Amino acid sequence: NFKNFKKILFPKIFSYSKSKKYFYYDMEYINGSTLSLFLMTQPLFETNNIFRDIINFIFNCKKNSFSKHKQVDFIKKIYDIKKKNTFTNNFYNKIFKSLNNHNWNNIEKSQSHGDLSLENIIIKNQAIKFIDLSENFVDSYKLDISKIMFDLISCWSFRNVPLKMDSLKVYSLKIHLLEILSKKLSGDDFEDIKMLIILDFLRVLHYTNNIDEIDLLEKQLKNFYDN
């Protein structure tokens, strides 16, 4: 579905099949730099140029959006996350109340990467390649925006970068993206994306067992929610 978008490339798919109930595919290996590492090693204007093309891709998906997801799709996901018994702190009661009270009926169905983290964007010879496309619980361009913003807010994709994180670069990129998005999205769209970012935090918190990573995520989530 994405092959017609000239600025974004995808690895070749060599084979795909199912093993029991799981779908899998074998893709070409791309020996390039993740966007998180690229951001740390290259001038910021180079990263801004790359993000311009990524944003164009996302809003091309928006342009081709059709119907909207139902409230129940999100309430079910919120319930599934909450019942894992991972979130025992009282702070999470406020989080889940906000999620359940949000109007989720404004999220359009569209093509999307599904897991558009900075680790799943590879830069090689100035070309942008998306890897690890995933089927998420919903398909929407807003999910891709939320995943990128979650990454920049939580610094999740920078945890494995073999360099000291440049906080100023990350902050500058986040502000640059917000300026672009503010011209393209409504206030209701931003509310949707903020709620999706919170869901991203909870979903990652659920599957990580590393204490330091959990502490980092909880600290960033509280800061994001309170502000």
Side-chain angles (χ1 to χ4, degrees):
N1 287 338
F2 296 136
K3 285 181 179 178
N4 294 328
F5 197 83
K6 297 177 182 178
K7 294 286 187 177
I8 308 292
L9 303 176
F10 299 87
K12 296 174 183 175
I13 298 176
F14 297 122
S15 66
Y16 58 92
S17 187
K18 282 188 177 181
S19 176
K20 297 182 180 178
K21 64 178 181 178
Y22 296 106
F23 172 78
Y24 71 87
Y25 53 91
D26 295 325
M27 300 184 79
E28 170 192 12
Y29 174 71
I30 307 298
N31 186 19
S33 170
T34 63
L35 187 49
S36 45
L37 180 58
F38 186 90
L39 175 60
M40 292 298 98
T41 57
Q42 302 300 318
L44 190 57
F45 76 88
E46 294 279 4
T47 308
N48 287 345
N49 288 337
I50 287 168
F51 266 95
R52 179 195 60 213
D53 291 332
I54 293 171
I55 292 295
N56 286 339
F57 163 82
I58 289 173
F59 280 90
N60 186 65
C61 292
K62 178 183 187 299
K63 181 178 67 176
N64 298 316
S65 62
F66 41 105
S67 59
K68 295 183 179 181
H69 288 285
K70 296 178 181 178
Q71 181 90 359
V72 66
D73 297 334
F74 299 90
I75 298 302
K76 183 179 183 302
K77 187 63 179 178
I78 295 163
Y79 173 78
D80 288 343
I81 293 172
K82 188 176 181 180
K83 75 179 183 181
K84 304 294 185 181
N85 295 323
T86 306
F87 309 103
T88 55
N89 190 303
N90 286 335
F91 166 72
Y92 288 109
N93 291 332
K94 293 191 296 182
I95 292 282
F96 283 107
K97 184 177 180 180
S98 295
L99 290 171
N100 281 312
N101 289 339
H102 181 65
N103 177 12
W104 294 100
N105 292 311
N106 192 40
I107 297 184
E108 303 95 322
K109 296 179 182 179
S110 73
Q111 291 180 344
S112 63
H113 179 287
D115 188 17
L116 197 58
S117 68
L118 304 191
E119 292 175 300
N120 287 337
I121 303 170
I122 305 295
I123 311 300
K124 185 173 184 181
N125 300 328
Q126 302 303 310
I128 306 167
K129 298 204 176 190
F130 284 178
I131 63 169
D132 199 21
L133 283 81
S134 304
E135 183 181 39
N136 217 310
F137 76 103
V138 293
D139 295 314
S140 176
Y141 71 93
K142 287 182 179 177
L143 202 68
D144 282 351
I145 295 173
S146 79
K147 191 66 178 183
I148 289 176
M149 294 307 301
F150 159 76
D151 240 350
L152 294 176
I153 292 165
S154 67
C155 301
W156 180 249
S157 284
F158 299 96
R159 71 196 187 285
N160 295 322
V161 173
L163 295 169
K164 183 179 180 182
M165 191 183 75
D166 188 332
S167 299
L168 183 58
K169 270 189 174 181
V170 175
Y171 177 78
S172 297
L173 178 59
K174 182 170 64 175
I175 296 302
H176 177 67
L177 281 179
L178 286 172
E179 288 174 349
I180 295 173
L181 294 173
S182 67
K183 298 174 184 176
K184 294 177 175 287
L185 297 171
S186 69
D188 287 341
D189 291 331
F190 265 105
E191 286 301 314
D192 289 336
I193 290 165
K194 284 192 282 187
M195 292 296 109
L196 287 169
I197 291 170
I198 292 174
L199 268 183
D200 289 327
F201 268 104
L202 296 179
R203 292 162 72 195
V204 175
L205 272 165
H206 172 66
Y207 73 68
T208 181
N209 295 316
N210 184 296
I211 298 300
D212 291 336
E213 291 176 354
I214 292 172
D215 287 344
L216 170 66
L217 287 168
E218 287 192 333
K219 178 182 177 182
Q220 300 286 31
L221 172 57
K222 288 177 180 178
N223 185 59
F224 176 69
Y225 183 81
D226 291 341
N227 292 285

